[in-house]
Amino acid sequence: MYQVIARKYRPQTFAELVGQEHVRATLENAIAQRRIAHGYIFSGQRGTGKTTVARILARCLNCVQGPTTAPCGVCASCKEIAAGSSVDVIEIDAASNRGINEMRELRENVRYRPARDRYKVFIIDEAHQITSEAFNALLKTLEEPPEWVIFVLCTTEAHKIPATISSRCQHFSFRSVEFEDVVRRMEWICQQEGVRADAESLAVLAQAGDGSVRDSLSALDQAIACCGQELKAEEVRALLGLFSLEILHQVTEALAASDSRKMLEIVAALEREGYNLQHFCRELARYFRNLLVAKIAGADSRLIAATGQERKRLAEISAGFSEQDLARYLQLALDLYGDLQRSTQIRLHTELGLLRMVEAGRLMPIEEALAQLGGGAPPAPERPKAKAGLKTGVPAAAPHASGSGAAQSPAQGTAQGTAQG
Ligand SMILES: [Zn+2]
């Protein structure tokens, strides 16, 4: 039977877990010292392993050899928990079972000892969806929990869990998984599946998941279904509707050359190739964000998800712009993306947005010149020399206008927002 990759390779032990070392270490200690809490809250972005860890915890506690940090994997408990069929490990999707009646049933169930295993583990997914009456019912159980009961509340929105509940639980926040960890995991899975994949296509798939292992693995499934046993970056990009970096690089080239006509040609080419312009603008914003981060923190920063080759390119390109330029381009790209959400004239708005960027590039040197005339602006850090022969080039010593300096902070705030979201 065909099984999707995310399920087939779902980690069954802490050793197989991708990322979340802090969660793993604390839980392993708790198990080793037999200090098991009755309530846990696992919070974090989707696809970061909350339910997976809840199941691993259940296995550690209920394995015939347990409680142990290394469940055997062959006893009935281990096998049933992996298959989701254990009587004593109950998974509840709170999105569809959120009411008081379900919670009353649960309270009934809690009173009885486990059928076979050491603990009864209740894994409640999307726990923030539970109604307040139902939370009250749950609270009564958490106040005086039978010794055999363990609740694991998994949620993407921990702030919606009432304080009365969370104060009786141990809280673990799951981080979005590092780009390199996702790539390494996919490399290993491809080996197991006999799939050849170049580094760039794995990078593209990892980026598509945006910190969610599950989303990256779904994309990998899709790529294998479509491209077969050999994944190539170009095909994977096309499949996911992503843009080759070349198109994005063309935008920065047009900006560096202050070339409005080239911008229009880029939009025309995108339309001709049938690309979605809204996706393009989102990718463009992400691209400027990466250039800005490369400028501020260096292209090898962990804040950027990219292959070695892409990083080199980002470093080269960001060197041709100042931090202020890049922050402003990012702001304009985000504005454009926002405009497109409401637009009925997508192409015209895209053209206008890109022309505005060229315009902004032209204005910045003028502002700087004006500031120099006024003489009021404090000296700013040196602006890097633009590529030789470009119209936007200004003398390296030209100080910045106070105006462009002031525009910088909100744009940077947005940059960080994008990085996290
Ligand atoms: Zn076992």
Side-chain angles (χ1 to χ4, degrees), residues 134-146:
F135 265 130
N136 275 335
L138 179 62
L139 179 62
K140 300 222 168 67
T141 308
L142 278 175
E143 278 168 343
E144 285 168 49

Side-chain angles (χ1 to χ4, degrees), residues 59 62-65 71-79:
R59 267 186 139 199
N62 279 354
C63 175
V64 164
Q65 318 263 353
C72 72
V74 292
C75 72
S77 298
C78 280
K79 280 186 168 165

